[in-house]
Amino acid sequence: MREAETTAGGGLELGTNWRRLVDGWTAASNIHSVTDTTSVSMEFNLPEVGRVVTVRFMTTTRLLVAFMTDGRFLKPEQLALAAAAANAWNTEQLLPMLSVWDVRGPQPCLAGVCSLPLTCRMTQSDFNTLAADWAGRARQMFTRCHQVFRL
């Protein structure tokens, strides 16, 4: 690491180093990831409900976003229940924020989102802790959606 990246503010600036931080977390945690030009994705098994959660890290102009989904599409008759599940989760847990994604599209789904400003600075250790927490909460969120709401 370059000296300027680690001394000013005590960590790496997320905007220019988010891939390095995500790659460092996945390597330290022995998590397989797939990288493309805009994102880094990984999958986590939910053995208690027989599903897989995908977490995809990407950026907007101002944010690092972790987008989470279990890849299950909602049927039209499930939309109200999914909205209730999202409301319950967001009221009780708040993180990740859960929503019914692409509600006007042909195949809406449940999705969770966590984000950080690209201007913040983090050490690799702090990022590892945060990313592991986000992934753990995503597992909880989708397990709960399945077990409690049957989504």
Side-chain angles (χ1 to χ4, degrees):
M1 278 183 254
R2 295 184 309 224
E3 185 70 22
E5 293 173 328
T6 59
T7 57
L12 298 171
E13 183 181 64
L14 213 50
T16 55
N17 294 287
W18 72 271
R19 284 182 186 270
R20 178 190 299 185
L21 290 165
V22 172
D23 290 343
W25 169 59
T26 58
S29 304
N30 200 29
I31 299 169
H32 173 72
S33 62
V34 176
T35 302
D36 63 29
T37 58
T38 61
S39 67
V40 179
S41 301
M42 63 275 326
E43 293 183 342
F44 300 95
N45 287 323
L46 300 177
E48 53 279 343
V49 295
R51 294 194 181 170
V52 173
V53 170
T54 301
V55 178
R56 174 193 244 177
F57 287 86
M58 65 196 103
T59 59
T60 67
T61 56
R62 290 182 266 182
L63 299 171
L64 171 67
V65 177
F67 179 83
M68 306 147 183
T69 184
D70 66 354
R72 300 281 177 139
F73 297 116
L74 298 168
K75 298 173 186 163
E77 62 271 13
Q78 293 177 304
L79 292 178
L81 185 59
N87 186 54
W89 175 268
N90 293 338
T91 300
E92 296 170 15
Q93 302 294 323
L94 191 58
L95 196 66
M97 181 187 71
L98 181 62
S99 64
V100 179
W101 190 262
D102 197 20
V103 73
R104 293 186 180 145
Q107 297 184 311
C109 65
L110 281 171
V113 177
C114 294
S115 63
L116 286 172
L118 290 176
T119 56
C120 76
R121 302 181 74 82
M122 298 188 85
T123 65
Q124 183 67 62
S125 177
D126 288 342
F127 185 84
N128 291 357
T129 300
L130 179 74
D133 181 62
W134 285 359
R137 288 175 185 260
R139 287 183 185 115
Q140 286 180 301
M141 181 174 63
F142 285 104
T143 298
R144 181 169 179 209
C145 284
H146 178 71
Q147 291 177 337
V148 175
F149 293 96
R150 303 291 181 235
L151 295 170

